[in-house]
Amino acid sequence: MARRGFTLADAFREFRRHPSPWLIAGTLVTAAAARAVLGDWQLTDALVPVVMLALFPFLEWVVHVGILHWRPRRLGSLIVDWRLARKHREHHQDPRDVPLIFIPWQSLIWVLILAVAVALLVFPRPALGVTFLTCLTVLGLGYEWCHYLIHSDYKPKSRWYRAIWRNHRQHHYKNERYWFTVTSAQTADRVLGTCPDPATAPTSPTARTLHA
């Protein structure tokens, strides 16, 4: 049952009880401190957050479709089925189960290690790589907060929040083949053809039981 009078303060108290926000926030604080120490500010450092903000809805879409909605595959006697995909199927079965809303910490540790490796090895300047890591963790923390808030009992108040709230809930309760973005509405989904008119989109019998 939905709790009446559930406020943002109530939501934050629950949010901070889970490990993934702390892991991301810890990486963010470390990256931001390292960026301040490194200096070497250039124009490209200002471009990184702009580019990442523009691309983040498409990253959400690709991860949601390609990893979270991964169908288990058999390779000989081995079944390939990622933890993230298994936990996401459980999340679809019970969207109100709070621990399942968050990125599993066991998977998140590897994601953060990969992000640090990319920051240190891919970029031409260490400082630029740490700028990337700082921006990525800001976006990741925002993703976890938005995703949790949408599944909580907090009721939409702003026009922006109502839009993303409706968009993601349609994915869970209307049709799991559409509306893959979480922190935005009608962005990557519209470009990539997964944002139909909800009035004409069919209601899927497998929205709660993926791949059934």
Side-chain angles (χ1 to χ4, degrees), residues 142-163:
Y143 171 91
E144 284 290 80
W145 172 246
C146 282
H147 191 216
Y148 164 66
L149 204 61
I150 289 167
H151 286 283
S152 75
D153 292 320
Y154 181 72
K155 298 304 180 185
K157 291 181 172 61
S158 70
R159 182 178 179 182
W160 169 78
Y161 178 53
R162 281 197 302 272

Side-chain angles (χ1 to χ4, degrees), residues 43-95:
L43 178 61
T44 47
D45 290 287
L47 292 177
V48 166
V50 175
V51 172
M52 291 184 69
L53 193 61
L55 293 180
F56 194 68
F58 296 92
L59 176 62
E60 284 184 351
W61 193 98
V62 169
V63 170
H64 202 159
V65 173
I67 297 176
L68 302 185
H69 280 235
W70 169 270
R71 287 176 177 268
R73 289 167 171 80
R74 182 179 292 276
L75 296 176
S77 60
L78 177 67
I79 296 178
V80 180
D81 190 17
W82 318 119
R83 179 192 299 272
L84 283 169
R86 294 197 305 272
K87 290 298 180 181
H88 193 69
R89 291 197 296 273
E90 293 176 22
H91 174 48
H92 267 265
Q93 288 173 0
D94 188 359

Side-chain angles (χ1 to χ4, degrees), residues 54-66 167 177-182 184-196:
L55 293 180
F56 194 68
F58 296 92
L59 176 62
E60 284 184 351
W61 193 98
V62 169
V63 170
H64 202 159
V65 173
N167 193 75
R177 298 176 184 86
Y178 304 115
W179 306 294
F180 290 103
T181 56
V182 175
S184 61
Q186 300 186 4
T187 50
D189 281 310
R190 183 174 292 278
V191 173
L192 297 170
T194 52
C195 185

Side-chain angles (χ1 to χ4, degrees), residues 1-208:
M1 296 293 292
R3 289 165 286 180
R4 293 183 179 180
F6 190 78
T7 67
L8 280 175
D10 296 326
F12 182 71
R13 279 190 288 271
E14 177 64 37
F15 182 73
R16 70 186 184 185
R17 292 180 57 241
H18 298 271
S20 68
W22 288 101
L23 286 169
I24 299 171
T27 308
L28 168 58
V29 170
T30 304
R35 187 62 192 88
V37 169
L38 286 171
D40 188 24
W41 297 98
Q42 297 185 27
L43 178 61
T44 47
D45 290 287
L47 292 177
V48 166
V50 175
V51 172
M52 291 184 69
L53 193 61
L55 293 180
F56 194 68
F58 296 92
L59 176 62
E60 284 184 351
W61 193 98
V62 169
V63 170
H64 202 159
V65 173
I67 297 176
L68 302 185
H69 280 235
W70 169 270
R71 287 176 177 268
R73 289 167 171 80
R74 182 179 292 276
L75 296 176
S77 60
L78 177 67
I79 296 178
V80 180
D81 190 17
W82 318 119
R83 179 192 299 272
L84 283 169
R86 294 197 305 272
K87 290 298 180 181
H88 193 69
R89 291 197 296 273
E90 293 176 22
H91 174 48
H92 267 265
Q93 288 173 0
D94 188 359
R96 289 183 57 80
D97 187 329
V98 175
L100 293 173
I101 296 170
F102 295 92
I103 301 170
W105 66 266
Q106 300 93 332
S107 301
L108 180 59
I109 287 174
W110 289 105
V111 171
L112 292 174
I113 291 172
L114 177 61
V116 171
V118 169
L120 297 179
L121 300 176
V122 172
F123 288 83
R125 293 186 293 117
L128 186 63
V130 178
T131 297
F132 159 79
L133 183 61
T134 304
C135 294
L136 183 64
T137 48
V138 169
L139 291 170
L141 198 58
Y143 171 91
E144 284 290 80
W145 172 246
C146 282
H147 191 216
Y148 164 66
L149 204 61
I150 289 167
H151 286 283
S152 75
D153 292 320
Y154 181 72
K155 298 304 180 185
K157 291 181 172 61
S158 70
R159 182 178 179 182
W160 169 78
Y161 178 53
R162 281 197 302 272
I164 65 169
W165 182 89
R166 186 180 306 110
N167 193 75
H168 191 61
R169 285 185 169 244
Q170 285 170 168
H171 173 75
H172 275 279
Y173 297 105
K174 177 74 173 177
N175 195 312
E176 78 280 11
R177 298 176 184 86
Y178 304 115
W179 306 294
F180 290 103
T181 56
V182 175
T183 61
S184 61
Q186 300 186 4
T187 50
D189 281 310
R190 183 174 292 278
V191 173
L192 297 170
T194 52
C195 185
D197 181 351
T200 60
T203 299
S204 170
T206 56
R208 301 285 289 272

